[in-house]
C-alpha cells in the first residue's frame, strides 16, 4: 500500500514528478513548496514556492502524494557542478531544441553562479551572454586541457606561412579548416579577431600583388626580378642575369595569382617583395 502524505504547515515539499496544475501552470521536478494552510475550493491545496521563480501551485488533495514528498526525506547527494566548471547543454535539455544565442548548443560555457533554486545554475557562454539552467540541462566537460582562448591550435604553429591544407583551428568547438572562413569569422567577432591576430598575424598580412617587374629579396640575400615573355614568367637573378626558377604559364602579367607564383620554386615564402 502506498504511503499517503498530506501537507503540513511549515514543512517544505519537493516535486518529484512534474505536472500541470489546475490553473494551467507547470510544476517542474526539483521545485520546492510550502503549504500556507490555504485550501482552494474544497479539495485543492495552495502551495507557495520557496525556491526559484514562478507562481503558486494548486494541486488536488488526491494527487498531492503522486507529485510531492517532504524535502527532508531525500538522500543528500554531492553537487554535480561547481562554480568555474565548463559545461555544454545536454541533448535532452528542453532548451537544446531552442538553440540560439541565449542557449547555444554544442558550445562550452562557464558556470558563474549556483543557487539553491529552480534554474539556479547561471552559465556564461563565449558570446558573453548568460542564462540559467537546472542540473539536468547541463553536461560537465572533462578530459580537455585548459585553454586561454577560444582557438585551440594549428598543426604547424611555427610555419612562416599557413597553408589552407594544413590549417586546423577549433573555434568554439567547431573545426574550421578553410582560411577564408577563419578570416571571415574573425572579422565578425572582435574578441576572436584579436586572439587570431595575436597568435597568427600571418593571416592578416596584406596580400602581395605579384606582377612582372616586381623585385624580390631572398632570405639568403639574393635579389630577383620577375620577368615575363610569351605568357610565361620566371625569376631572374639581378646579380648574375640568370633565370633561377621554373618558367610558369600565367593568365595576366599584372595580376599573377598566389598559386602561379608558388609554382616558380619550392621556397617562395623566403622571397620578400622590395617596395619602391
Amino acid at each position: 500500500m502506498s504511503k499517503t502524505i498530506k501537507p503540513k504547515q511549515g514543512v517544505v515539499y519537493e516535486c518529484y514528478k512534474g505536472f500541470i496544475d489546475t490553473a494551467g501552470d507547470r510544476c517542474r521536478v526539483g521545485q520546492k513548496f510550502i503549504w500556507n494552510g490555504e485550501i482552494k475550493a474544497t479539495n485543492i491545496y495552495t502551495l507557495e514556492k520557496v525556491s526559484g521563480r514562478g507562481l503558486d501551485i494548486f494541486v488536488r488533495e488526491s494527487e498531492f502524494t503522486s507529485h510531492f514528498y517532504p524535502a527532508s526525506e531525500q538522500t543528500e547527494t554531492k553537487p554535480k557542478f561547481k562554480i568555474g566548471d565548463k559545461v555544454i547543454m545536454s541533448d535532452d535539455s528542453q532548451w537544446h531544441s531552442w538553440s540560439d544565442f541565449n542557449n547555444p548548443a554544442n558550445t562550452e560555457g562557464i558556470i558563474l553562479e549556483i543557487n539553491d533554486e529552480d534554474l539556479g545554475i547561471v552559465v556564461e557562454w563565449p558570446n558573453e551572454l548568460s542564462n540559467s539552467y537546472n542540473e539536468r540541462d547541463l553536461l560537465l566537460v572533462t578530459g580537455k586541457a585548459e585553454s586561454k582562448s577560444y582557438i585551440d591550435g594549428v598543426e604547424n604553429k611555427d610555419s612562416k606561412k599557413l597553408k589552407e591544407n594544413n590549417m586546423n583551428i577549433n573555434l568554439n568547438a567547431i573545426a574550421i579548416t578553410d582560411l577564408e572562413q577563419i578570416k571571415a569569422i574573425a572579422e565578425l567577432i572582435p574578441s576572436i579577431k584579436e586572439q587570431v591576430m595575436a597568435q597568427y598575424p600571418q593571416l592578416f598580412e596584406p596580400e602581395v600583388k605579384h606582377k612582372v617587374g616586381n623585385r624580390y629579396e631572398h632570405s639568403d640575400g639574393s635579389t630577383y626580378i620577375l620577368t615575363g615573355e610569351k605568357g610565361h614568367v620566371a625569376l631572374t637573378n639581378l646579380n648574375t642575369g640568370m633565370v633561377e626558377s621554373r618558367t610558369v604559364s600565367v593568365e595576366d602579367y599584372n595580376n599573377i595569382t598566389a598559386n602561379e607564383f608558388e609554382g616558380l620554386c619550392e621556397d617562395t615564402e623566403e622571397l620578400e617583395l622590395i617596395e619602391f
Side-chain angles (χ1 to χ4, degrees), residues 21-155:
D21 75 355
T22 58
D25 296 316
R26 179 179 295 278
C27 181
R28 296 185 175 88
V29 173
Q31 291 182 315
K32 296 178 181 179
F33 300 83
I34 190 169
W35 182 47
N36 63 2
E38 180 181 352
I39 299 179
K40 183 180 180 181
T42 57
N43 63 344
I44 299 177
Y45 295 117
T46 301
L47 304 180
E48 294 181 351
K49 203 169 186 184
V50 296
S51 65
R53 301 183 292 274
L55 304 172
D56 293 344
I57 290 296
F58 304 105
V59 58
R60 298 183 188 280
E61 180 180 7
S62 59
E63 298 175 352
F64 181 82
T65 305
S66 301
H67 300 285
F68 296 94
Y69 54 40
S72 61
E73 289 187 6
Q74 299 179 80
T75 301
E76 293 189 5
T77 58
K78 183 179 180 181
K80 187 175 180 181
F81 303 112
K82 64 181 183 299
I83 293 175
D85 278 348
K86 290 186 176 182
V87 293
I88 61 173
M89 202 185 316
S90 169
D91 291 344
D92 297 328
S93 170
Q94 62 177 318
W95 311 113
H96 190 276
S97 60
W98 293 5
S99 179
D100 55 18
F101 289 108
N102 295 311
N103 299 290
N106 304 316
T107 302
E108 290 184 17
I110 303 291
I111 293 179
L112 298 183
E113 299 178 25
I114 298 179
N115 303 301
D116 185 19
E117 60 184 33
D118 182 43
L119 300 176
I121 302 176
V122 180
V123 177
E124 182 180 54
W125 301 110
N127 58 14
E128 298 183 356
L129 296 178
S130 60
N131 216 334
S132 301
Y133 305 90
N134 288 315
E135 281 192 354
R136 62 181 177 275
D137 296 315
L138 304 170
L139 296 175
L140 183 66
V141 176
T142 59
K144 185 170 182 179
E146 188 73 17
S147 174
K148 293 184 179 180
S149 76
Y150 299 132
I151 301 167
D152 243 355
V154 169
E155 287 185 3

Side-chain angles (χ1 to χ4, degrees), residues 20 32 95 191 203 234:
I20 303 296
K32 296 178 181 179
W95 311 113
S191 60
L203 294 176

Side-chain angles (χ1 to χ4, degrees), residues 203-222:
L203 294 176
F204 297 88
E205 290 179 352
E207 185 176 352
V208 175
K209 184 176 181 180
H210 301 292
K211 61 183 179 179
V212 169
N214 278 1
R215 298 189 179 193
Y216 302 87
E217 183 176 4
H218 194 276
S219 59
D220 65 6
S222 301

Side-chain angles (χ1 to χ4, degrees), residues 135-246:
E135 281 192 354
R136 62 181 177 275
D137 296 315
L138 304 170
L139 296 175
L140 183 66
V141 176
T142 59
K144 185 170 182 179
E146 188 73 17
S147 174
K148 293 184 179 180
S149 76
Y150 299 132
I151 301 167
D152 243 355
V154 169
E155 287 185 3
N156 186 6
K157 294 182 180 179
D158 297 324
S159 173
K160 294 182 68 176
K161 185 172 184 180
L162 299 178
K163 307 268 186 185
E164 290 186 24
N165 63 354
N166 72 4
M167 178 168 289
N168 183 21
I169 291 181
N170 290 330
L171 182 61
N172 291 350
I174 302 174
I176 306 294
T177 58
D178 183 85
L179 178 61
E180 295 305 319
Q181 289 182 9
I182 293 171
K183 292 179 69 175
I185 292 173
E187 293 291 349
L188 292 173
I189 309 175
S191 60
I192 297 297
K193 182 177 180 179
E194 293 174 4
Q195 294 174 29
V196 175
M197 292 182 68
Q199 296 183 46
Y200 315 111
Q202 300 92 330
L203 294 176
F204 297 88
E205 290 179 352
E207 185 176 352
V208 175
K209 184 176 181 180
H210 301 292
K211 61 183 179 179
V212 169
N214 278 1
R215 298 189 179 193
Y216 302 87
E217 183 176 4
H218 194 276
S219 59
D220 65 6
S222 301
T223 54
Y224 298 88
I225 185 171
L226 190 58
T227 57
E229 184 179 1
K230 297 181 180 180
H232 292 74
V233 296
L235 290 169
T236 300
N237 191 309
L238 287 172
N239 296 322
T240 65
M242 301 292 293
V243 173
E244 296 185 1
S245 73
R246 304 186 189 99

